[in-house]
Amino acid sequence: MRARDLAVEYETVGVDTDAMSAARLMAEHRLPALLVLDERGAPKAILPASQMIKAVVPGYVIDDPTLAAVVDERHADRLCQALKGRTVRDCLTKSVPAPPVAEPDSTALEVAALMAQVRSPLVAVVDKDGTGVRLLGVITASHLLERLLNAAS
């Protein structure tokens, strides 16, 4: 199996996408993460759902989780309002690493090793040519595991 054969269409967002829209996309499709593209359409980052959650939790609660108990449910239910007026770029960490990228001819083992090395739930498959980078699709950890299990049967 080659990366080009394992790659599937996957939801992507741009760095300037509205954070609330990105959160809705993530929630509606129950995605573990979103692939974030730069202005040229090349993979820029992976935004895990856990990072999106962190963007809505008040900093004082992150610093002292015991304070979460004093926030009443009415206010807790409105946590996502913290995303209003923000972009995906605002939700990324300051030192966001580049997303793992595989070439179309990478083997399933190469993709698995890359995924394991960087502990990422997804790998972007890109074709690089003289004009730039073209996203072919994404390989998720669960999809890769499914394909490897099927091959073992």
Side-chain angles (χ1 to χ4, degrees):
M1 288 181 280
R2 298 292 175 175
R4 76 165 51 80
D5 304 319
L6 294 167
V8 296
E9 284 188 36
Y10 193 83
E11 300 293 343
T12 62
V13 294
V15 289
D16 295 320
T17 298
D18 175 68
M20 187 73 84
S21 297
R24 280 194 178 102
L25 182 65
M26 195 177 280
E28 288 170 6
H29 296 280
R30 299 180 191 260
L31 300 173
L34 289 172
L35 180 61
V36 180
L37 305 177
D38 67 14
E39 296 81 3
R40 297 178 319 273
K44 166 85 173 153
I46 291 176
L47 178 59
S50 59
Q51 185 65 33
M52 188 62 84
I53 294 292
K54 184 177 180 182
V56 302
V57 175
Y60 64 86
V61 175
I62 292 171
D63 294 340
D64 185 359
T66 60
L67 293 175
V70 301
V71 177
D72 63 32
E73 284 300 311
R74 190 169 55 96
H75 287 94
D77 289 343
R78 293 192 219 146
L79 286 176
C80 282
Q81 289 181 349
L83 296 176
K84 286 187 177 177
R86 296 176 73 188
T87 64
V88 166
R89 184 187 318 267
D90 298 328
C91 297
L92 295 171
T93 59
K94 300 298 179 219
S95 59
V96 63
V101 173
E103 295 180 3
D105 287 329
S106 296
T107 65
L109 181 56
E110 288 173 311
V111 172
L114 176 61
M115 209 174 262
Q117 181 183 34
V118 298
R119 303 176 86 184
S120 176
L122 41 108
V123 170
V125 179
V126 299
D127 190 18
K128 298 174 186 171
D129 60 20
T131 61
V133 173
R134 184 172 60 98
L135 179 66
L136 299 180
V138 168
I139 302 170
T140 64
S142 57
H143 180 74
L144 178 59
L145 191 56
E146 176 188 39
R147 293 292 298 267
L148 292 173
L149 285 168
N150 287 340
S153 298

